Coordinates of all heavy atoms in Angstrom, one line a residue:
M1135 N 23.5 -52.6 0.0 CA 23.7 -53.2 -1.4 C 24.4 -52.1 -2.1 O 25.2 -52.5 -3.1 CB 22.3 -53.5 -1.9 CG 22.4 -54.3 -3.2 SD 23.2 -55.9 -2.9 CE 22.8 -56.7 -4.3
R1136 N 24.1 -50.9 -2.1 CA 24.8 -49.7 -2.7 C 26.2 -49.7 -2.5 O 27.1 -49.5 -3.3 CB 24.2 -48.4 -2.5 CG 22.9 -48.2 -3.2 CD 22.4 -46.8 -2.9 NE 21.2 -46.5 -3.7 CZ 20.5 -45.4 -3.6 NH1 21.0 -44.5 -2.8 NH2 19.4 -45.2 -4.2
R1137 N 26.6 -49.9 -1.2 CA 28.0 -49.9 -0.8 C 28.7 -51.0 -1.4 O 29.9 -50.9 -1.8 CB 28.1 -50.0 0.8 CG 27.7 -48.7 1.4 CD 27.9 -48.7 2.9 NE 27.5 -47.5 3.5 CZ 27.6 -47.3 4.8 NH1 27.9 -48.2 5.7 NH2 27.2 -46.1 5.3
V1138 N 28.2 -52.3 -1.4 CA 28.8 -53.3 -2.0 C 29.1 -53.1 -3.5 O 30.2 -53.3 -4.0 CB 28.0 -54.7 -1.8 CG1 28.6 -55.8 -2.6 CG2 27.9 -55.0 -0.3
R1139 N 28.1 -52.6 -4.2 CA 28.3 -52.3 -5.7 C 29.3 -51.2 -5.9 O 30.2 -51.3 -6.8 CB 26.9 -51.9 -6.2 CG 26.0 -52.9 -6.4 CD 24.7 -52.4 -7.2 NE 23.7 -53.5 -7.2 CZ 22.5 -53.3 -7.5 NH1 22.1 -52.1 -7.8 NH2 21.6 -54.3 -7.6
A1140 N 29.3 -50.2 -5.0 CA 30.3 -49.1 -5.1 C 31.7 -49.7 -4.9 O 32.7 -49.3 -5.5 CB 30.0 -48.0 -4.1
L1141 N 31.8 -50.6 -3.8 CA 33.1 -51.1 -3.5 C 33.6 -52.1 -4.6 O 34.8 -51.9 -5.0 CB 33.0 -52.0 -2.2 CG 34.3 -52.5 -1.7 CD1 35.3 -51.5 -1.4 CD2 34.0 -53.3 -0.4
I1142 N 32.7 -52.8 -5.2 CA 33.1 -53.7 -6.3 C 33.5 -52.8 -7.6 O 34.6 -53.1 -8.2 CB 32.0 -54.7 -6.8 CG1 31.8 -55.7 -5.6 CG2 32.3 -55.3 -8.1 CD1 30.5 -56.6 -5.9
G1143 N 32.7 -51.8 -7.9 CA 33.1 -50.9 -8.9 C 34.4 -50.1 -8.7 O 35.3 -50.1 -9.6
L1144 N 34.7 -49.7 -7.5 CA 35.9 -49.1 -7.2 C 37.1 -50.1 -7.3 O 38.2 -49.7 -7.8 CB 35.9 -48.5 -5.8 CG 37.1 -47.7 -5.3 CD1 37.3 -46.5 -6.2 CD2 37.0 -47.3 -3.9
T1145 N 36.9 -51.3 -6.9 CA 38.0 -52.3 -7.0 C 38.3 -52.6 -8.4 O 39.5 -52.7 -8.8 CB 37.5 -53.6 -6.3 OG1 37.2 -53.3 -5.0 CG2 38.6 -54.6 -6.4
I1146 N 37.3 -52.6 -9.3 CA 37.5 -52.9 -10.6 C 38.2 -51.7 -11.3 O 39.2 -51.9 -12.1 CB 36.2 -53.1 -11.5 CG1 35.6 -54.5 -11.0 CG2 36.4 -53.1 -12.9 CD1 34.2 -54.8 -11.4
L1147 N 37.9 -50.5 -11.0 CA 38.6 -49.3 -11.6 C 40.0 -49.2 -11.1 O 40.9 -48.9 -11.9 CB 37.8 -48.0 -11.2 CG 36.5 -47.8 -11.9 CD1 35.8 -46.6 -11.3 CD2 36.7 -47.6 -13.4
V1148 N 40.3 -49.4 -9.8 CA 41.7 -49.4 -9.3 C 42.5 -50.5 -10.0 O 43.6 -50.3 -10.4 CB 41.7 -49.6 -7.8 CG1 43.0 -49.8 -7.3 CG2 41.0 -48.3 -7.2
T1149 N 41.9 -51.7 -10.1 CA 42.6 -52.8 -10.8 C 42.9 -52.5 -12.2 O 44.1 -52.8 -12.7 CB 41.8 -54.1 -10.7 OG1 41.5 -54.4 -9.4 CG2 42.6 -55.3 -11.3
L1150 N 42.0 -52.0 -13.0 CA 42.2 -51.6 -14.3 C 43.2 -50.5 -14.5 O 44.0 -50.5 -15.4 CB 40.9 -51.3 -15.0 CG 39.9 -52.4 -15.3 CD1 38.6 -51.9 -15.9 CD2 40.5 -53.5 -16.2
G1151 N 43.1 -49.6 -13.6 CA 44.2 -48.4 -13.6 C 45.5 -48.8 -13.3 O 46.5 -48.4 -13.9
A1152 N 45.7 -49.8 -12.5 CA 47.0 -50.4 -12.1 C 47.6 -51.2 -13.3 O 48.8 -51.4 -13.4 CB 47.0 -51.2 -10.9
C1153 N 46.7 -51.7 -14.1 CA 47.2 -52.6 -15.2 C 47.7 -51.8 -16.4 O 48.5 -52.3 -17.2 CB 46.1 -53.6 -15.7 SG 45.6 -54.8 -14.5
R1154 N 47.3 -50.6 -16.5 CA 47.8 -49.8 -17.6 C 49.3 -49.4 -17.5 O 49.7 -49.0 -16.4 CB 47.0 -48.5 -17.8 CG 45.6 -48.8 -18.4 CD 45.0 -47.5 -18.7 NE 44.9 -46.7 -17.5 CZ 44.4 -45.5 -17.4 NH1 44.0 -44.9 -18.6 NH2 44.3 -44.9 -16.3
D1155 N 50.0 -49.5 -18.5 CA 51.5 -49.2 -18.5 C 51.6 -47.8 -19.2 O 51.1 -47.7 -20.4 CB 52.3 -50.2 -19.2 CG 53.7 -50.0 -19.0 OD1 54.1 -49.2 -18.2 OD2 54.5 -50.7 -19.7
P1156 N 52.1 -46.8 -18.6 CA 52.1 -45.5 -19.2 C 53.0 -45.5 -20.5 O 52.6 -44.7 -21.4 CB 52.7 -44.6 -18.2 CG 53.5 -45.5 -17.2 CD 52.8 -46.8 -17.3
Q1157 N 53.9 -46.4 -20.7 CA 54.6 -46.4 -21.9 C 54.5 -47.8 -22.5 O 54.7 -48.8 -21.8 CB 56.2 -46.2 -21.7 CG 56.5 -44.7 -21.3 CD 58.0 -44.5 -21.3 OE1 58.7 -45.5 -21.4 NE2 58.3 -43.3 -21.2
P1158 N 54.2 -47.9 -23.8 CA 54.1 -49.2 -24.5 C 55.4 -49.8 -24.5 O 56.5 -49.3 -24.6 CB 53.6 -48.8 -25.8 CG 54.0 -47.4 -26.0 CD 54.1 -46.8 -24.7
V1159 N 55.4 -51.1 -24.4 CA 56.6 -52.0 -24.4 C 56.8 -52.4 -25.9 O 55.9 -52.8 -26.7 CB 56.4 -53.3 -23.6 CG1 57.7 -54.2 -23.9 CG2 56.2 -53.0 -22.3
R1160 N 58.0 -52.1 -26.4 CA 58.3 -52.4 -27.9 C 59.2 -53.7 -27.8 O 60.2 -53.8 -27.2 CB 59.1 -51.2 -28.5 CG 58.2 -50.0 -28.5 CD 58.9 -48.8 -29.2 NE 58.1 -47.7 -29.1 CZ 58.2 -46.7 -29.9 NH1 59.2 -46.7 -30.8 NH2 57.4 -45.7 -29.9
V1161 N 58.7 -54.5 -28.7 CA 59.4 -55.8 -28.8 C 59.9 -55.9 -30.2 O 59.2 -55.8 -31.1 CB 58.6 -57.0 -28.5 CG1 59.3 -58.3 -28.6 CG2 58.1 -56.9 -27.0
V1162 N 61.2 -56.3 -30.4 CA 61.7 -56.6 -31.7 C 62.3 -58.0 -31.6 O 63.1 -58.3 -30.8 CB 62.9 -55.6 -32.1 CG1 63.6 -56.0 -33.4 CG2 62.4 -54.2 -32.1
L1163 N 61.7 -58.8 -32.5 CA 62.1 -60.2 -32.5 C 63.1 -60.4 -33.6 O 62.7 -60.2 -34.8 CB 61.0 -61.1 -32.6 CG 61.3 -62.6 -32.9 CD1 62.0 -63.2 -31.7 CD2 60.1 -63.4 -33.2
V1164 N 64.3 -60.7 -33.4 CA 65.4 -60.9 -34.4 C 65.7 -62.5 -34.5 O 66.1 -63.1 -33.5 CB 66.7 -60.1 -34.2 CG1 67.7 -60.5 -35.2 CG2 66.4 -58.6 -34.1
T1165 N 65.4 -63.1 -35.6 CA 65.7 -64.5 -35.7 C 66.7 -64.7 -36.9 O 66.6 -64.1 -37.9 CB 64.5 -65.4 -36.0 OG1 63.9 -65.0 -37.2 CG2 63.4 -65.2 -34.9
L1166 N 67.7 -65.5 -36.6 CA 68.7 -65.7 -37.7 C 68.8 -67.2 -37.8 O 69.0 -68.0 -36.8 CB 70.0 -65.1 -37.2 CG 70.0 -63.6 -37.1 CD1 71.3 -63.1 -36.4 CD2 69.8 -62.9 -38.4
D1167 N 68.8 -67.7 -39.0 CA 68.8 -69.1 -39.3 C 70.3 -69.5 -39.7 O 70.9 -68.8 -40.5 CB 67.8 -69.5 -40.2 CG 67.7 -71.0 -40.4 OD1 68.1 -71.8 -39.5 OD2 67.2 -71.6 -41.5
T1168 N 70.8 -70.5 -39.2 CA 72.2 -71.0 -39.6 C 73.2 -69.8 -39.4 O 73.9 -69.5 -40.4 CB 72.2 -71.5 -41.1 OG1 71.0 -72.2 -41.3 CG2 73.4 -72.4 -41.3
L1169 N 73.4 -69.4 -38.2 CA 74.4 -68.3 -37.8 C 75.3 -69.0 -36.8 O 74.8 -69.4 -35.7 CB 73.6 -67.2 -37.3 CG 74.6 -66.1 -36.8 CD1 75.2 -65.4 -38.0 CD2 73.8 -65.0 -36.0
R1170 N 76.5 -68.8 -37.0 CA 77.5 -69.3 -36.0 C 77.7 -68.2 -35.0 O 77.7 -67.0 -35.3 CB 78.8 -69.6 -36.7 CG 78.8 -70.8 -37.4 CD 80.2 -71.2 -38.0 NE 81.3 -70.5 -37.5 CZ 82.5 -70.5 -38.0 NH1 82.8 -71.3 -39.1 NH2 83.5 -69.8 -37.4
Y1171 N 77.8 -68.5 -33.7 CA 77.9 -67.6 -32.7 C 79.1 -66.7 -32.8 O 79.1 -65.5 -32.6 CB 78.1 -68.4 -31.3 CG 78.2 -67.4 -30.1 CD1 77.0 -66.8 -29.6 CD2 79.4 -67.3 -29.5 CE1 77.1 -66.0 -28.5 CE2 79.5 -66.5 -28.3 CZ 78.4 -65.8 -27.9 OH 78.5 -65.0 -26.8
D1172 N 80.3 -67.3 -33.4 CA 81.5 -66.5 -33.4 C 81.4 -65.4 -34.6 O 82.3 -64.5 -34.6 CB 82.7 -67.3 -33.6 CG 82.7 -68.2 -34.8 OD1 81.6 -68.3 -35.6 OD2 83.7 -68.7 -35.2
S1173 N 80.4 -65.4 -35.5 CA 80.3 -64.4 -36.4 C 79.5 -63.2 -35.9 O 79.7 -62.0 -36.4 CB 79.5 -64.9 -37.7 OG 78.2 -65.2 -37.3
L1174 N 78.8 -63.3 -34.8 CA 78.2 -62.2 -34.1 C 79.1 -61.7 -32.9 O 79.4 -60.5 -32.8 CB 76.9 -62.6 -33.6 CG 76.1 -61.6 -32.8 CD1 75.8 -60.4 -33.8 CD2 74.8 -62.1 -32.3
V1175 N 79.6 -62.6 -32.1 CA 80.4 -62.2 -30.9 C 81.8 -62.8 -31.3 O 82.1 -63.9 -31.3 CB 79.8 -62.9 -29.7 CG1 80.8 -62.5 -28.5 CG2 78.4 -62.4 -29.5
P1176 N 82.8 -61.9 -31.5 CA 84.2 -62.3 -31.9 C 84.9 -63.0 -30.8 O 84.6 -62.6 -29.6 CB 84.9 -61.1 -32.4 CG 84.1 -60.0 -31.7 CD 82.7 -60.4 -31.6
A1177 N 85.8 -63.8 -31.0 CA 86.7 -64.4 -30.0 C 87.5 -63.3 -29.4 O 87.8 -62.3 -30.0 CB 87.6 -65.5 -30.6
E1178 N 87.9 -63.5 -28.1 CA 88.6 -62.5 -27.4 C 90.1 -62.5 -28.0 O 90.6 -63.5 -28.4 CB 88.7 -62.8 -25.9 CG 87.4 -62.7 -25.2 CD 86.9 -61.3 -25.2 OE1 87.7 -60.3 -25.0 OE2 85.7 -61.1 -25.2
G1179 N 90.6 -61.3 -28.2 CA 91.9 -61.3 -28.7 C 92.1 -60.0 -29.6 O 91.2 -59.2 -29.8
E1180 N 93.3 -59.8 -30.0 CA 93.7 -58.6 -30.7 C 93.2 -58.6 -32.1 O 93.3 -59.6 -32.8 CB 95.2 -58.5 -30.7 CG 95.6 -57.1 -31.1 CD 97.2 -56.9 -30.9 OE1 97.7 -57.3 -29.9 OE2 97.8 -56.3 -31.8
G1181 N 92.5 -57.5 -32.5 CA 92.0 -57.4 -33.9 C 90.7 -58.2 -34.1 O 90.3 -58.3 -35.3
A1182 N 90.1 -58.7 -33.1 CA 88.8 -59.4 -33.3 C 87.7 -58.4 -33.5 O 87.5 -57.5 -32.7 CB 88.6 -60.3 -32.1
E1183 N 87.0 -58.6 -34.6 CA 85.8 -57.8 -34.8 C 84.6 -58.7 -35.1 O 84.7 -59.7 -35.7 CB 86.2 -56.9 -36.1 CG 87.2 -55.9 -35.8 CD 87.3 -55.0 -37.0 OE1 86.5 -54.9 -37.9 OE2 88.4 -54.3 -37.2
S1184 N 83.4 -58.0 -34.8 CA 82.1 -58.8 -35.1 C 81.8 -58.5 -36.6 O 82.1 -57.4 -37.2 CB 81.1 -58.2 -34.3 OG 79.8 -58.7 -34.7
A1185 N 81.3 -59.5 -37.3 CA 80.8 -59.4 -38.6 C 79.6 -58.5 -38.6 O 79.2 -58.0 -39.7 CB 80.5 -60.8 -39.2
M1186 N 78.8 -58.4 -37.6 CA 77.6 -57.6 -37.4 C 77.7 -56.7 -36.2 O 77.0 -56.9 -35.2 CB 76.4 -58.5 -37.4 CG 76.2 -59.3 -38.7 SD 74.9 -60.4 -38.5 CE 75.8 -61.9 -38.0
P1187 N 78.5 -55.6 -36.2 CA 78.7 -54.9 -35.0 C 77.5 -54.2 -34.5 O 77.1 -54.0 -33.3 CB 79.7 -53.9 -35.4 CG 79.8 -53.8 -36.9 CD 79.3 -55.2 -37.3
R1188 N 76.5 -53.7 -35.4 CA 75.3 -52.9 -35.0 C 74.4 -53.9 -34.3 O 73.7 -53.5 -33.3 CB 74.6 -52.3 -36.2 CG 75.4 -51.1 -36.7 CD 74.7 -50.4 -37.8 NE 75.5 -49.3 -38.3 CZ 75.3 -48.7 -39.5 NH1 74.4 -49.1 -40.3 NH2 76.0 -47.7 -39.8
L1189 N 74.2 -55.1 -34.8 CA 73.3 -56.1 -34.2 C 73.8 -56.5 -32.8 O 73.1 -56.5 -31.9 CB 73.2 -57.3 -35.1 CG 72.2 -58.4 -34.5 CD1 70.9 -57.8 -34.5 CD2 72.2 -59.6 -35.5
L1190 N 75.2 -56.6 -32.7 CA 75.8 -56.9 -31.4 C 75.5 -55.8 -30.4 O 75.2 -56.0 -29.3 CB 77.3 -57.2 -31.6 CG 78.0 -57.5 -30.4 CD1 77.5 -58.8 -29.7 CD2 79.5 -57.7 -30.7
E1191 N 75.7 -54.6 -30.9 CA 75.4 -53.4 -30.0 C 74.0 -53.4 -29.6 O 73.6 -53.1 -28.3 CB 75.7 -52.1 -30.8 CG 75.6 -50.8 -30.0 CD 75.9 -49.6 -30.8 OE1 76.8 -49.7 -31.6 OE2 75.3 -48.6 -30.6
R1192 N 73.0 -53.6 -30.5 CA 71.6 -53.6 -30.1 C 71.3 -54.8 -29.1 O 70.6 -54.6 -28.2 CB 70.8 -53.9 -31.4 CG 70.5 -52.7 -32.1 CD 69.6 -51.8 -31.5 NE 68.6 -51.3 -32.4 CZ 67.7 -50.4 -32.1 NH1 67.7 -49.9 -30.8 NH2 66.9 -50.0 -32.9
S1193 N 72.0 -55.9 -29.3 CA 71.7 -57.0 -28.4 C 72.2 -56.7 -27.0 O 71.6 -57.2 -26.0 CB 72.3 -58.3 -29.0 OG 73.7 -58.3 -28.8
R1194 N 73.2 -56.0 -26.9 CA 73.8 -55.7 -25.6 C 72.9 -54.6 -24.9 O 72.9 -54.5 -23.7 CB 75.2 -55.2 -25.7 CG 76.1 -56.3 -26.0 CD 77.6 -55.9 -26.1 NE 78.4 -57.1 -26.3 CZ 79.6 -57.0 -27.0 NH1 80.1 -55.9 -27.5 NH2 80.3 -58.1 -27.1
A1195 N 72.2 -53.8 -25.6 CA 71.4 -52.7 -25.0 C 70.1 -53.2 -24.5 O 69.4 -52.6 -23.7 CB 71.3 -51.6 -26.0
G1196 N 69.6 -54.4 -25.2 CA 68.3 -54.9 -24.8 C 68.2 -56.1 -24.0 O 69.2 -56.4 -23.3
V1197 N 67.2 -56.8 -23.9 CA 67.1 -58.0 -23.2 C 67.5 -59.2 -24.1 O 67.0 -59.3 -25.3 CB 65.6 -58.3 -22.7 CG1 65.5 -59.6 -22.0 CG2 65.2 -57.1 -21.8
R1198 N 68.3 -60.0 -23.7 CA 68.8 -61.1 -24.6 C 68.6 -62.4 -23.8 O 68.9 -62.5 -22.6 CB 70.3 -60.9 -24.8 CG 70.9 -61.8 -25.9 CD 72.3 -61.4 -26.3 NE 73.1 -61.1 -25.2 CZ 74.4 -60.8 -25.3 NH1 75.0 -60.8 -26.5 NH2 75.1 -60.6 -24.3
F1199 N 68.1 -63.4 -24.5 CA 67.9 -64.7 -23.9 C 69.1 -65.6 -24.1 O 69.4 -65.8 -25.3 CB 66.6 -65.3 -24.4 CG 65.4 -64.5 -24.0 CD1 64.9 -63.5 -25.0 CD2 64.7 -64.7 -22.9 CE1 63.8 -62.8 -24.6 CE2 63.6 -63.9 -22.5 CZ 63.1 -63.0 -23.4
E1200 N 69.6 -66.1 -23.1 CA 70.8 -66.9 -23.3 C 70.4 -68.4 -23.5 O 71.3 -69.1 -24.1 CB 71.7 -66.8 -21.9 CG 72.2 -65.4 -21.6 CD 73.2 -65.0 -22.6 OE1 73.9 -65.8 -23.2 OE2 73.3 -63.8 -22.8
R1201 N 69.3 -68.8 -23.2 CA 68.9 -70.1 -23.4 C 67.5 -70.1 -24.1 O 66.6 -69.4 -23.8 CB 68.6 -70.9 -22.1 CG 69.9 -71.3 -21.4 CD 69.6 -72.0 -20.2 NE 70.8 -72.4 -19.5 CZ 70.8 -73.2 -18.5 NH1 69.8 -73.8 -18.0 NH2 71.9 -73.4 -17.8
F1202 N 67.4 -70.8 -25.2 CA 66.2 -70.9 -26.0 C 66.1 -72.2 -26.6 O 67.1 -72.7 -27.2 CB 66.3 -69.8 -27.1 CG 65.0 -69.8 -27.9 CD1 63.9 -69.1 -27.4 CD2 64.8 -70.5 -29.1 CE1 62.8 -69.0 -28.2 CE2 63.7 -70.5 -29.8 CZ 62.6 -69.7 -29.3
Y1203 N 65.0 -72.9 -26.4 CA 64.8 -74.2 -26.9 C 63.8 -74.2 -28.0 O 62.7 -73.7 -27.8 CB 64.3 -75.1 -25.8 CG 65.3 -75.2 -24.6 CD1 65.1 -74.4 -23.5 CD2 66.4 -76.0 -24.6 CE1 66.0 -74.4 -22.4 CE2 67.3 -76.0 -23.7 CZ 67.1 -75.2 -22.5 OH 68.1 -75.3 -21.6
A1204 N 64.2 -74.7 -29.1 CA 63.2 -74.7 -30.3 C 62.2 -75.8 -30.2 O 62.6 -76.9 -29.7 CB 64.1 -74.8 -31.6
A1205 N 61.0 -75.5 -30.8 CA 60.0 -76.5 -30.8 C 60.3 -77.7 -31.7 O 59.9 -78.8 -31.5 CB 58.6 -75.9 -31.2
T1206 N 61.1 -77.4 -32.8 CA 61.5 -78.3 -33.8 C 62.8 -77.8 -34.5 O 63.1 -76.7 -34.3 CB 60.4 -78.6 -34.8 OG1 60.9 -79.6 -35.7 CG2 60.0 -77.4 -35.5
S1207 N 63.4 -78.7 -35.2 CA 64.7 -78.3 -35.8 C 64.5 -77.7 -37.2 O 65.4 -77.3 -37.9 CB 65.7 -79.5 -36.0 OG 65.0 -80.5 -36.8
I1208 N 63.2 -77.5 -37.6 CA 62.9 -77.0 -39.0 C 62.5 -75.6 -38.7 O 61.7 -75.2 -37.8 CB 61.8 -77.8 -39.6 CG1 62.1 -79.3 -39.7 CG2 61.4 -77.3 -41.0 CD1 61.0 -80.1 -40.0
T1209 N 62.9 -74.6 -39.7 CA 62.7 -73.2 -39.5 C 61.3 -72.8 -39.4 O 60.9 -72.0 -38.5 CB 63.5 -72.4 -40.6 OG1 64.9 -72.9 -40.6 CG2 63.4 -70.9 -40.4
Q1210 N 60.5 -73.0 -40.5 CA 59.2 -72.5 -40.5 C 58.3 -73.0 -39.3 O 57.6 -72.1 -38.7 CB 58.5 -72.9 -41.9 CG 57.3 -72.1 -42.1 CD 56.8 -72.3 -43.6 OE1 57.5 -72.8 -44.4 NE2 55.6 -71.9 -43.8
P1211 N 58.3 -74.2 -38.9 CA 57.5 -74.6 -37.8 C 58.0 -73.9 -36.4 O 57.2 -73.6 -35.6 CB 57.6 -76.1 -37.7 CG 58.0 -76.5 -39.1 CD 58.8 -75.4 -39.7
S1212 N 59.3 -73.7 -36.4 CA 59.8 -73.1 -35.2 C 59.4 -71.6 -35.2 O 59.1 -71.1 -34.1 CB 61.4 -73.1 -35.2 OG 61.8 -74.4 -35.0
H1213 N 59.4 -70.9 -36.3 CA 58.9 -69.5 -36.3 C 57.4 -69.5 -35.9 O 57.0 -68.6 -35.2 CB 59.1 -68.9 -37.7 CG 60.6 -68.4 -37.8 ND1 61.5 -69.2 -38.3 CD2 61.1 -67.2 -37.6 CE1 62.7 -68.5 -38.2 NE2 62.5 -67.3 -37.8
A1214 N 56.6 -70.4 -36.6 CA 55.2 -70.4 -36.2 C 55.0 -70.7 -34.7 O 54.1 -70.1 -34.2 CB 54.5 -71.5 -37.0
S1215 N 55.8 -71.5 -34.1 CA 55.7 -71.8 -32.7 C 56.0 -70.5 -31.9 O 55.4 -70.2 -30.9 CB 56.6 -72.9 -32.3 OG 56.1 -74.1 -32.8
M1216 N 57.1 -69.8 -32.2 CA 57.5 -68.6 -31.5 C 56.4 -67.6 -31.6 O 56.1 -66.8 -30.7 CB 58.7 -68.0 -32.1 CG 60.0 -68.7 -31.7 SD 61.4 -67.9 -32.3 CE 61.5 -68.3 -34.1
L1217 N 55.7 -67.4 -32.7 CA 54.7 -66.4 -32.9 C 53.3 -66.8 -32.4 O 52.5 -65.9 -32.1 CB 54.6 -66.0 -34.4 CG 55.9 -65.4 -34.9 CD1 55.8 -65.2 -36.5 CD2 56.3 -64.1 -34.2
T1218 N 53.0 -68.0 -32.2 CA 51.8 -68.5 -31.7 C 51.7 -69.1 -30.4 O 50.7 -69.2 -29.7 CB 51.1 -69.5 -32.7 OG1 51.9 -70.7 -32.7 CG2 51.0 -68.9 -34.0
A1219 N 52.9 -69.4 -29.8 CA 53.0 -70.1 -28.6 C 52.3 -71.5 -28.5 O 51.9 -72.0 -27.6 CB 52.5 -69.2 -27.4
L1220 N 52.3 -72.1 -29.7 CA 51.7 -73.5 -29.9 C 52.8 -74.4 -30.4 O 53.8 -73.9 -31.0 CB 50.6 -73.5 -30.8 CG 49.4 -72.5 -30.5 CD1 48.4 -72.5 -31.7 CD2 48.7 -73.0 -29.3
H1221 N 52.6 -75.7 -30.1 CA 53.5 -76.7 -30.7 C 53.2 -76.9 -32.1 O 52.0 -76.7 -32.5 CB 53.4 -78.0 -29.8 CG 53.9 -77.8 -28.5 ND1 55.2 -77.8 -28.2 CD2 53.2 -77.7 -27.3 CE1 55.4 -77.7 -26.8 NE2 54.2 -77.7 -26.2
P1222 N 54.1 -77.5 -32.9 CA 53.8 -77.7 -34.3 C 52.5 -78.5 -34.6 O 51.8 -78.3 -35.5 CB 55.0 -78.4 -34.8 CG 56.1 -77.9 -34.0 CD 55.5 -77.7 -32.7
W1223 N 52.4 -79.6 -33.7 CA 51.2 -80.4 -33.9 C 49.9 -79.7 -33.6 O 48.8 -80.1 -33.9 CB 51.2 -81.7 -33.2 CG 51.3 -81.5 -31.6 CD1 50.3 -81.4 -30.8 CD2 52.6 -81.4 -30.9 NE1 50.8 -81.3 -29.5 CE2 52.1 -81.3 -29.5 CE3 53.9 -81.6 -31.2 CZ2 53.2 -81.2 -28.5 CZ3 54.8 -81.5 -30.1 CH2 54.4 -81.3 -28.9
E1224 N 50.0 -78.5 -32.9 CA 48.8 -77.7 -32.5 C 48.5 -76.7 -33.6 O 47.4 -76.5 -34.0 CB 49.0 -77.0 -31.2 CG 49.1 -77.9 -30.0 CD 49.4 -77.3 -28.7 OE1 50.4 -76.5 -28.7 OE2 48.8 -77.6 -27.7
H1225 N 49.6 -76.0 -34.2 CA 49.3 -75.0 -35.2 C 49.3 -75.6 -36.6 O 48.8 -74.9 -37.5 CB 50.3 -73.8 -35.1 CG 51.7 -74.1 -35.2 ND1 52.3 -74.7 -36.2 CD2 52.7 -73.9 -34.2 CE1 53.6 -74.8 -36.0 NE2 53.8 -74.4 -34.8
G1226 N 49.8 -76.7 -36.7 CA 49.7 -77.5 -38.1 C 50.8 -77.2 -39.1 O 50.9 -77.9 -40.1
V1227 N 51.8 -76.3 -38.7 CA 53.0 -76.1 -39.7 C 53.9 -77.2 -39.2 O 54.5 -77.0 -38.1 CB 53.5 -74.7 -39.6 CG1 54.7 -74.5 -40.5 CG2 52.4 -73.7 -39.8
V1228 N 54.2 -78.1 -40.1 CA 55.2 -79.2 -39.8 C 56.4 -79.3 -40.7 O 57.2 -80.1 -40.4 CB 54.4 -80.5 -39.6 CG1 53.5 -80.6 -38.4 CG2 53.7 -80.9 -41.0
S1229 N 56.4 -78.5 -41.8 CA 57.5 -78.5 -42.7 C 57.7 -77.2 -43.3 O 56.8 -76.3 -43.2 CB 57.3 -79.7 -43.7 OG 56.3 -79.2 -44.6
N1230 N 58.9 -77.0 -44.0 CA 59.1 -75.8 -44.6 C 58.3 -75.8 -45.9 O 57.9 -74.9 -46.6 CB 60.5 -75.6 -45.0 CG 61.4 -75.3 -43.8 OD1 60.9 -74.7 -42.8 ND2 62.6 -75.7 -43.8

């Protein structure tokens, strides 16, 4: 019985130790409402510049999601869904 308890305890300790990440993950969520793609990423060609070069540089250095589906077309319920992982009818925010 002692061996079983020791084995279970050791398994739990090893599992918990493996789950710890030595460096915390930092997440920056940038949301922009009513933004045209070409104002951030300029069209190819001579003299084309981004209206927001620093944001473009940051987006290229990090993880960028190419496909994103909104829970609704209204801003406030969409933000509530992003931050809670719930649908609008679940978190209750249904309008601005």
Side-chain angles (χ1 to χ4, degrees):
M1135 191 61 165
R1136 282 185 179 176
R1137 286 184 180 177
V1138 172
R1139 287 183 185 166
L1141 184 59
I1142 291 172
L1144 182 62
T1145 303
I1146 291 171
L1147 286 175
V1148 168
T1149 302
L1150 291 175
C1153 292
R1154 283 189 301 174
D1155 191 7
Q1157 289 190 351
V1159 176
R1160 296 180 185 204
V1161 176
V1162 176
L1163 174 64
V1164 176
T1165 63
L1166 300 169
D1167 190 19
T1168 318
L1169 176 72
R1170 287 183 15 190
Y1171 180 76
D1172 62 346
S1173 65
L1174 183 61
V1175 180
E1178 296 293 324
E1180 195 172 316
E1183 292 184 19
S1184 172
M1186 294 175 268
R1188 288 184 181 161
L1189 183 61
L1190 181 60
E1191 182 181 328
R1192 279 288 225 189
S1193 72
R1194 288 182 176 153
V1197 177
R1198 193 171 45 173
F1199 296 93
E1200 298 293 330
R1201 289 186 182 186
F1202 183 85
Y1203 301 98
T1206 181
S1207 61
I1208 305 169
T1209 303
Q1210 193 168 348
S1212 288
H1213 280 88
S1215 292
M1216 283 188 281
L1217 298 174
T1218 64
L1220 298 172
H1221 293 286
W1223 60 87
E1224 294 172 313
H1225 56 63
V1227 181
V1228 292
S1229 67
N1230 288 332

